[in-house]
Amino acid sequence: MKIDFVDLRRQYRCYKKELDAAIQKMLDNGDYILGEELKSFEREFAEFCDVKYCVGVASGTDALILSLKALGIQPGDEVITVPNSFVATALCISTLGAKPVFVDIDSETYNIDVLKIEEKITPRTKAIIPVHLYGQPADMDPIKKIAAKHNLRILEDACQAHGAKYRGKKVGGLGDIAAFSFFPGKNLGAYGDGGAIVTNDQGLADLALMYRMYGGKERDHYLIKGGVNSRLDAIQAAILRVKLKYLDGWNAARSKNAKLYNKLLRGSDVVTPTTLDYVEPVFHLYVIRDKKRDGLMEHLRNKQIFVLAHYPIPIHLQPAYKELGYKKGDFPVTETAAEEILSLPVFPELEEKEIEYVVSSIQEYKNKNT
């Protein structure tokens, strides 16, 4: 049995008629940049996130960068975030000439350890970027209290958390502004790169609109410097409008798959995800931990099960960030997780027999190596 990490072809086959019609409509009308299709998607995604405003941009990375621009982050500022994330979380900070300041993660949720944030705050600190990693919301209430106490802004990195809830509220509206990615493998994925910025603050939304289009609201009339060309393609917006209708169901399927993994892996000597009582994760990734991760990963790949390690080299140990002066041992929880974490297939169309095959293959390896 061959099991891909994500099988986008299965999803396409299920919704082929609707998706093909949406794409053909855009090809027929020739409205490829901005336009009504993008406006409709922005309105619908804002409604999905329970926020007032959505600005479609070219990628999740651009969503992060332009959100920080809208928040007024300048060269020399400091922004607190985590080293256990995709590099874009730090890249958005350093791209603006600001400094990423890392905080270690919680050993159960793999999100930012809220008890370690305040010790990293200096007079230069201007914002916090909590990452809702793997689709598990960060603990936002204490983060918001810290931000209010120190007059800091909050950018939610929600690129893996479309539809996740924290204390009954969807991510995206829990801070000042939030960034989403529509990379094809995301819970809501386009057929190319794409992203969105969401907020309840009209001023921030207006700035994001201008930053995504050269610094202006309309052609030949530019109001601010620092603008770029970063617009969500209208064809991708059309595709995302079709997919958005099914996102709640896909998230439910991911959660069902995660529960089955939890049940079947009980007693197998691997660490399964912890879900806190007050959050509803959407399982963009289903992540286990094992002290012999690399051997297990090789075994599963030999069994035609395509698993991944997210993220095997923490950001603070990446060569690109050596000037920050971090060294191995500075963030022990992050570093241990990086050595042990393994992501299993969990996409919505995954079949029960496939999950059973993954688990039996894990058990086979564990039985041979105990």
Side-chain angles (χ1 to χ4, degrees):
M1 187 181 294
K2 178 177 178 288
I3 303 175
D4 291 325
F5 185 71
V6 177
D7 191 341
L8 299 176
R9 293 163 298 185
R10 291 193 201 182
Q11 188 180 87
Y12 171 66
R13 286 195 293 266
C14 290
Y15 307 97
K16 183 180 187 302
K17 186 175 180 179
E18 285 183 82
L19 290 164
D20 287 357
I23 294 168
Q24 189 62 53
K25 174 185 173 183
M26 298 307 299
L27 294 174
D28 288 340
N29 67 27
D31 191 12
Y32 305 139
I33 301 295
L34 300 177
E36 290 305 315
E37 201 71 19
L38 177 56
K39 288 181 181 178
S40 294
F41 172 72
E42 289 172 333
R43 183 173 59 253
E44 291 161 8
F45 192 65
E47 183 179 345
F48 174 83
C49 294
D50 295 328
V51 298
K52 295 179 181 178
Y53 308 104
C54 170
V55 178
V57 295
S59 69
T61 302
D62 278 2
L64 289 164
I65 294 170
L66 300 186
S67 292
L68 284 185
K69 280 192 175 189
L71 291 174
I73 300 303
Q74 300 290 325
D77 290 344
E78 294 179 355
V79 179
I80 290 173
T81 191
V82 291
N84 178 38
S85 183
F86 184 60
V87 70
T89 304
L91 186 65
C92 69
I93 302 167
S94 51
T95 295
L96 299 185
K99 178 183 177 182
V101 175
F102 295 120
V103 171
D104 211 350
I105 58 171
D106 178 81
S107 60
E108 292 191 339
T109 66
Y110 311 122
N111 284 325
I112 193 166
D113 186 338
V114 296
L115 299 178
K116 296 178 179 177
I117 294 175
E118 281 199 277
E119 64 190 48
K120 297 297 183 77
I121 295 174
T122 75
R124 291 180 178 271
T125 308
K126 295 297 188 293
I128 304 171
I129 304 180
V131 182
H132 304 308
L133 199 66
Y134 313 143
Q136 172 98 269
D139 194 0
M140 292 300 296
D141 281 354
I143 294 171
K144 290 164 72 174
K145 288 180 181 178
I146 292 168
K149 178 180 176 182
H150 296 276
N151 194 30
L152 306 177
R153 310 304 294 272
I154 297 174
L155 162 57
E156 295 176 72
D157 183 339
C159 289
Q160 298 184 3
H162 314 64
K165 292 182 179 179
Y166 174 82
R167 299 192 185 278
K169 296 181 179 179
K170 285 186 178 177
V171 303
L174 303 175
D176 295 290
I177 197 166
F180 286 89
S181 168
F182 302 130
F183 181 78
K186 302 294 185 181
N187 292 35
L188 179 63
Y191 288 158
D193 280 315
I197 297 165
V198 303
T199 182
N200 283 310
D201 185 316
Q202 184 175 357
L204 292 177
D206 286 345
L207 284 169
L209 282 166
M210 288 188 285
Y211 278 127
R212 81 167 178 187
M213 199 174 75
Y214 304 103
K217 290 185 177 181
E218 56 186 287
R219 184 182 176 91
D220 299 324
H221 188 206
Y222 304 104
L223 305 175
I224 56 175
K225 297 185 181 73
V228 296
N229 176 18
S230 180
R231 299 167 294 202
L232 179 63
D233 289 339
I235 288 179
Q236 300 297 348
I239 291 165
L240 290 166
R241 288 189 71 198
V242 172
K243 289 189 164 193
L244 184 58
K245 296 184 293 184
Y246 301 101
L247 181 54
D248 284 333
W250 294 338
N251 285 341
R254 287 175 178 271
S255 294
K256 180 181 178 182
N257 291 343
K259 288 177 181 177
L260 181 57
Y261 271 127
N262 288 345
K263 176 183 175 182
L264 297 177
L265 285 168
R266 196 172 296 129
S268 66
D269 196 34
V270 299
V271 179
T272 55
T274 297
T275 299
L276 303 177
D277 293 340
Y278 49 83
V279 304
E280 295 179 35
V282 292
F283 290 99
H284 171 60
L285 300 176
Y286 181 88
V287 174
I288 62 171
R289 283 174 59 182
D290 189 83
K291 294 185 183 302
K292 298 180 180 178
R293 187 271 310 280
D294 291 347
L296 176 57
M297 180 162 56
E298 182 181 6
H299 172 77
L300 293 175
R301 288 178 174 176
N302 287 338
K303 303 280 285 187
Q304 294 293 293
I305 301 167
F306 293 94
V307 294
L308 293 172
H310 293 88
Y311 298 93
I313 304 175
I315 300 173
H316 71 286
L317 298 179
Q318 293 284 352
Y321 285 98
K322 62 183 179 181
E323 81 280 357
L324 296 179
Y326 292 115
K327 62 185 184 304
K328 192 171 178 62
D330 284 343
F331 304 102
V333 182
T334 291
E335 291 167 25
T336 299
E339 294 171 354
E340 297 180 357
I341 271 175
L342 188 64
S343 301
L344 307 181
V346 73
F347 58 91
E349 298 80 20
L350 197 65
E351 297 179 7
E352 185 171 327
K353 65 182 180 182
E354 292 174 312
I355 294 174
E356 291 171 348
Y357 177 65
V358 174
V359 172
S360 67
S361 299
I362 292 171
Q363 292 169 335
E364 178 184 297
Y365 176 81
K366 299 300 289 182
N367 290 337
K368 290 180 179 178
N369 292 275
T370 53

